[in-house]
Amino acid sequence: MTEQSSSSIESWVLMSLIYRDLDDGDYRNALLLAERLHVLDNQNKHYKLLYADCLFHCLDYTASYTILKSVKSIPCLNLFAKSCLELGNTEKSSIKQRELWEEGVQSLQLALSTPEMPQYIHWGDELSSIAIRNHMPSRSSIYNLLGDLYVKLDNIRSAANYYWECLLNNPYKISAYIKLCEIAPDVVDFKTTKLPKDIFTHLDPASIDLSRSSSSYLPPPPSTKISDISFSDNLPPSSIKENDCSMPEINDDDHNFSIDQLRALVRVSSKIMEKDYDNLMEHEHEREIENRKDNIITDIENDIKRMEANEAFKNKHGLHRKPPVPRPQKLTVELETIDDYEQEDNEMKDKEMYNSIQINTPPRLVNSKKRSIDTPTKSNRPFKKHGITKLMSIASYFLPFLDSTETDRVENVEIVEGMNKVLKVLCILANGYFYQSFHHCEKAVLELQKLDDKQYNSPRVLGVLGISYYDAGDYISARAFFRQSFLISPWYCEYIPIYSTCLWYLEKEEELNLLAFKMKENRCHQFEAYIAAGNWAKCVKGGNEAVQWFQKAVDLDPSRSYGHALLGYEEWEKGNSLGAKKHFANSMITDKRSYLGWYGMASAYQAMDEYVQARTLLLEAVRLHPRHPVVLSTMAEVLYKLGEYVEAKEFIDKSLSIKASTSNEELKAEIEEKLIEQARSAEERLMEMENTAHIIDTDLNI
């Protein structure tokens, strides 16, 4: 795609805010804004550079490497080489290390051979760096980075040459001389080359050039004639319909969904219960909630200590033997093959599903007429004129220190309009997170439908949609959004643990195998890779291998509750109540606001027939996630065991209104039978009391 001659005001607003966040060191917020910028035009080299730069600062080198691999601009090549250097440092395979560092060298050599690369340093640019940002890397910095890469490749001669070139170009690069000293024993004739006094010499005022470069590496200038952000109308909840069909199987790397299909999926998604839960906020005092949680966790920890003491006593006196210690085994993830018959069957399912989705008209499109991706949207904003308002050039708002010959002059209102468009996008995204955090699935997905196609088809938005459906127990729809996100942005891994668990629920072995296989190469997201590998092993291999993968994830990052929860469920499935309690306790401690730990701990107590404790824990799990059908049905089971049939009936009805289940229908029938028995018993007691009273009255009359 050819680069446009001008950009929208919205894109410049986003770029300005991102650079400000980078200056402030607020890399997380810069990344969130850069994601919104990148989807405006995912082929724009300036947007790619800024997005990759934010990822690099967030230490996600795999992502920055992947995004910049095909971009040939000098700043992108420079950042790509930095990503190669960092990825090589984390790689365990010496062959892979060398490949990465050689890629970095090749990219920098290409940058140096590009005509746009400045041949000598402009000291005016260096001195004005306080006020003016330099978007083009200097030749000396590229030389310095090349030296670092050649040191990694053990090519000391080339490394030394580039360090010398760096110092010749810019004597202020003292780091290059320090690194020269570090490799000095292997540098031929190092002592006979230039000494510090020969390099760090005084500059001659008569010969030094303090001018600034006439060229600049800036995006196309902003213009009021282009608008990159639009919004869609609301989708009424009445258009949500039930859908019992499955999503297509994954067949190859390029199998993609259209945006229309994803939007249509919202319309045909499973029914989501929203009524009776309009009040999102709890009126309970926050500290009271935390104190209650702390007391419950303390009681659980004391219970675990008592169980450990009992186990120790039994082991000491030979009442039972300890289970054998599992032997460590080599954990690997290999890509499995798919036979031709199965692939042909999958393709038939794909075709049927695509036809099924296309029959349902998408909820809305951005415009009734499709427009080419290469054609920017023209702004239809009226140009207002006021006699007393001073008009300024658009560029002067974003580039106050640069002279602009631009004739497109606007009022403040035009700039503010662009700023408000960005704010509206962020507001919709924030609303989606808000509803999703309170597990209002329908409200979350309908809110995010307001975004245009470019913003909608972004990994973060698709991830929120996937998690919303996952939390509602609709794994089929969740899978569609997770999968689309991974296909378009395999470096975005925030949702991967949930995605892999979703595939495990659906028993999608091939897709789970492919996900785990691709994730194992991502050195910056090993926690997510281990969780995916564990779910794959659990789905395909069984045995103890899944536990080992989950344990690797917990050992890598014990601060994330999901790994502890998965280990707890593994122990719970094996009937090891003590082990399950330990892991669930760790999950609750690391994240007291996740329902998974509370629900898991309740399940452990339920398995031990300790229903009073299970009910206490489930009350908190239901408070945290009041719309999860499994949590609600489990609460109904516990209340049924406690003989609280009226409350049990309420919970099972809520669960069934969200998701149909044969086992829950059977539980409901049992509860209703108990309620009938209770009513009959109450009626019999009442008749007995009336008979007794009649007899007493008769005796008194006599």
Side-chain angles (χ1 to χ4, degrees):
M1 179 164 40
T2 57
E3 187 172 305
Q4 300 174 11
S5 59
S6 55
S7 304
S8 66
I9 293 176
E10 300 94 82
S11 65
W12 276 78
V13 169
L14 279 167
M15 286 187 286
S16 302
L17 296 171
I18 293 165
Y19 277 120
R20 177 62 197 221
D21 281 338
L22 289 174
D23 290 342
D24 291 346
D26 192 354
Y27 303 131
R28 171 68 174 171
N29 198 70
L31 177 59
L32 292 170
L33 295 176
E35 290 171 356
R36 300 304 100 211
L37 175 70
H38 181 248
V39 297
L40 298 181
D41 181 359
N42 57 19
Q43 298 302 313
N44 187 298
K45 61 184 180 182
H46 301 281
Y47 302 169
K48 278 192 171 187
L49 174 64
L50 201 44
Y51 184 26
D53 196 21
C54 293
L55 289 163
F56 186 87
H57 278 91
C58 291
L59 310 183
D60 195 345
Y61 309 122
T62 301
S64 58
Y65 169 90
T66 306
I67 291 168
L68 298 176
K69 194 165 186 177
S70 60
V71 190
K72 303 306 179 185
S73 69
I74 295 173
C76 290
L77 290 168
N78 181 60
L79 185 55
F80 176 77
K82 290 181 181 179
S83 302
C84 291
L85 177 64
E86 297 296 340
L87 279 177
N89 292 337
T90 63
E91 185 59 53
K92 295 180 181 179
S93 167
S94 59
I95 297 175
K96 184 64 175 176
Q97 272 187 332
R98 190 166 190 87
E99 289 176 355
L100 286 166
W101 291 331
E102 286 176 348
E103 276 190 279
V105 168
Q106 292 169 8
S107 67
L108 293 179
Q109 296 286 12
L110 178 60
L112 289 172
S113 65
T114 305
E116 290 79 16
M117 186 73 216
Q119 295 302 311
Y120 63 95
I121 192 167
H122 290 270
W123 288 108
D125 293 339
E126 307 298 308
L127 297 177
S128 61
S129 295
I130 296 175
I132 299 177
R133 188 178 300 278
N134 291 294
H135 298 272
M136 178 72 73
S138 66
R139 181 175 286 270
S140 58
S141 292
I142 291 180
Y143 284 150
N144 206 357
L145 182 55
L146 262 173
D148 294 344
L149 286 164
Y150 274 119
V151 169
K152 293 292 185 181
L153 291 169
D154 208 25
N155 188 341
I156 302 303
R157 177 182 292 275
S158 295
N161 288 338
Y162 279 108
Y163 286 144
W164 286 124
E165 289 292 334
C166 172
L167 289 165
L168 288 173
N169 189 264
N170 185 350
Y172 291 97
K173 293 284 188 181
I174 189 172
S175 63
Y177 196 84
I178 292 173
K179 286 179 282 191
L180 268 173
C181 294
E182 291 171 354
I183 63 174
D186 291 343
V187 177
V188 180
D189 298 329
F190 181 80
K191 294 181 181 179
T192 61
T193 54
K194 289 185 178 180
L195 298 175
K197 63 182 180 65
D198 301 317
I199 297 173
F200 304 97
T201 59
H202 288 179
L203 301 173
D204 184 3
S207 60
I208 189 172
D209 182 8
L210 296 182
S211 65
R212 290 172 53 191
S213 172
S214 59
S215 60
S216 64
Y217 184 81
L218 291 172
S223 170
T224 56
K225 298 178 181 178
I226 294 179
S227 178
D228 279 329
I229 296 176
S230 59
F231 301 96
S232 299
D233 298 327
N234 293 334
L235 179 67
S238 59
S239 62
I240 301 294
K241 299 179 182 178
E242 248 184 275
N243 173 35
D244 296 323
C245 54
S246 172
M247 292 307 296
E249 300 284 348
I250 190 166
N251 291 323
D252 53 62
D253 296 351
D254 300 322
H255 197 116
N256 224 326
F257 290 111
S258 71
I259 304 304
D260 293 354
Q261 289 170 330
L262 286 172
R263 289 189 183 274
L265 181 61
V266 172
R267 183 170 182 174
V268 299
S269 61
S270 299
K271 181 181 177 183
I272 306 161
M273 182 183 66
E274 288 290 335
K275 59 184 179 181
D276 299 330
Y277 290 102
D278 295 329
N279 186 13
L280 289 178
M281 303 303 295
E282 294 286 340
H283 297 292
E284 196 169 358
H285 193 273
E286 183 180 354
R287 193 59 244 170
E288 292 177 2
I289 296 175
E290 297 305 318
N291 288 337
R292 188 183 71 247
K293 288 183 180 181
D294 291 339
N295 292 334
I296 293 173
I297 291 174
T298 300
D299 291 340
I300 291 171
E301 289 175 333
N302 292 333
D303 184 36
I304 291 173
K305 289 178 182 177
R306 285 193 296 270
M307 292 182 69
E308 287 176 333
N310 291 336
E311 291 292 312
F313 178 82
K314 292 177 181 179
N315 290 330
K316 181 178 180 181
H317 295 279
L319 298 179
H320 67 70
R321 292 184 300 173
K322 291 183 178 179
V325 178
R327 294 181 179 179
Q329 60 188 94
K330 186 177 180 181
L331 301 176
T332 58
V333 178
E334 300 299 335
L335 189 62
E336 298 180 346
T337 57
I338 306 173
D339 59 61
D340 295 337
Y341 175 78
E342 191 171 359
Q343 182 157 345
E344 185 178 345
D345 182 54
N346 288 341
E347 289 174 356
M348 289 295 296
K349 290 180 182 177
D350 284 357
K351 187 175 180 180
E352 291 175 6
M353 184 57 190
Y354 282 128
N355 293 337
S356 170
I357 292 179
Q358 293 289 16
I359 290 171
N360 297 278
T361 307
R364 64 202 158 277
L365 298 175
V366 180
N367 291 313
S368 57
K369 296 181 180 179
K370 292 285 185 179
R371 65 173 185 269
S372 170
I373 298 176
D374 295 316
T375 306
T377 309
K378 291 188 177 181
S379 173
N380 54 7
R381 294 179 292 207
F383 188 79
K384 301 177 182 178
K385 293 185 178 181
H386 299 281
I388 58 174
T389 304
K390 181 181 178 182
L391 299 181
M392 299 175 60
S393 111
I394 299 177
S396 65
Y397 288 94
F398 302 102
L399 305 168
F401 295 101
L402 297 181
D403 296 331
S404 175
T405 58
E406 183 184 358
T407 58
D408 190 1
R409 308 182 75 80
V410 295
E411 304 174 26
N412 289 352
V413 66
E414 302 288 338
I415 302 298
V416 175
E417 242 181 83
M419 296 171 68
N420 285 337
K421 278 193 173 185
V422 174
L423 270 179
K424 187 172 180 180
V425 169
L426 299 181
C427 183
I428 293 171
L429 184 60
N431 274 331
Y433 268 103
F434 173 75
Y435 291 129
Q436 185 267 321
S437 67
F438 284 98
H439 308 290
H440 277 263
C441 176
E442 181 177 340
K443 291 182 179 179
V445 298
L446 293 180
E447 180 70 17
L448 293 173
Q449 289 289 303
K450 298 175 183 177
L451 297 170
D452 62 24
D453 285 356
K454 290 184 290 187
Q455 296 291 334
Y456 188 82
N457 192 34
S458 62
R460 185 169 297 277
V461 172
L462 294 171
V464 173
L465 289 164
I467 291 173
S468 296
Y469 280 111
Y470 178 87
D471 282 344
D474 185 355
Y475 304 129
I476 294 174
S477 298
R479 175 199 172 208
F481 290 103
F482 286 143
R483 182 179 138 183
Q484 172 72 359
S485 179
F486 188 73
L487 287 172
I488 63 171
S489 303
W491 59 84
Y492 184 83
C493 302
E494 195 167 303
Y495 59 88
I496 291 296
I498 304 295
Y499 178 24
S500 63
T501 304
C502 180
L503 293 176
W504 173 78
Y505 276 123
L506 296 172
E507 299 181 352
K508 300 295 183 182
E509 295 182 10
E510 295 151 17
E511 187 172 343
L512 189 49
N513 174 228
L514 181 59
L515 177 67
F517 182 77
K518 288 194 172 184
M519 283 300 301
K520 78 173 185 177
E521 300 298 329
N522 193 327
R523 308 300 303 176
C524 297
H525 289 281
Q526 287 297 282
F527 178 90
E528 292 84 354
Y530 292 152
I531 296 296
N535 278 317
W536 168 71
K538 184 176 176 65
C539 186
V540 177
K541 298 183 177 182
N544 198 48
E545 186 170 333
V547 174
Q548 296 180 55
W549 282 114
F550 296 149
Q551 188 62 56
K552 282 171 71 72
V554 168
D555 293 341
L556 179 68
D557 190 353
S559 67
R560 299 174 72 169
S561 65
Y562 196 67
H564 295 292
L566 290 176
L567 282 172
Y569 286 117
E570 291 299 308
E571 296 299 329
W572 174 75
E573 288 180 1
K574 293 188 293 186
N576 182 4
S577 298
L578 176 57
K581 283 184 177 181
K582 286 181 179 179
H583 291 302
F584 286 134
N586 288 331
S587 178
M588 293 163 65
I589 291 169
T590 51
D591 187 358
K592 297 176 183 178
R593 285 157 293 282
S594 172
Y595 75 94
L596 282 173
W598 295 89
Y599 172 74
M601 185 65 78
S603 300
Y605 276 105
Q606 182 187 15
M608 299 174 66
D609 296 334
E610 298 181 18
Y611 299 113
V612 175
Q613 294 91 331
R615 177 178 59 180
T616 301
L617 293 160
L618 281 170
L619 283 172
E620 179 61 19
V622 170
R623 189 187 74 84
L624 293 170
H625 194 338
R627 297 168 189 84
H628 199 295
V630 178
V631 176
L632 294 170
S633 63
T634 304
M635 174 62 95
E637 291 177 18
V638 169
L639 292 171
Y640 174 78
K641 292 292 185 180
L642 291 172
E644 301 177 14
Y645 304 121
V646 175
E647 292 84 355
K649 176 70 163 51
E650 292 177 0
F651 279 101
I652 199 64
D653 284 342
K654 290 176 182 176
S655 176
L656 287 169
S657 67
I658 299 172
K659 189 174 183 180
S661 167
T662 303
S663 59
N664 287 343
E665 290 287 358
E666 293 173 355
L667 176 60
K668 179 180 179 180
E670 293 177 14
I671 294 171
E672 288 175 340
E673 186 177 339
K674 289 292 184 181
L675 287 171
I676 293 172
E677 289 179 6
Q678 275 190 343
R680 188 181 298 118
S681 298
E683 187 177 347
E684 289 175 355
R685 286 196 301 270
L686 181 61
M687 291 178 62
E688 184 178 345
M689 290 173 63
E690 289 177 351
N691 291 335
T692 304
H694 180 70
I695 293 170
I696 292 173
D697 290 342
T698 303
D699 291 343
L700 288 174
N701 291 332
I702 293 173

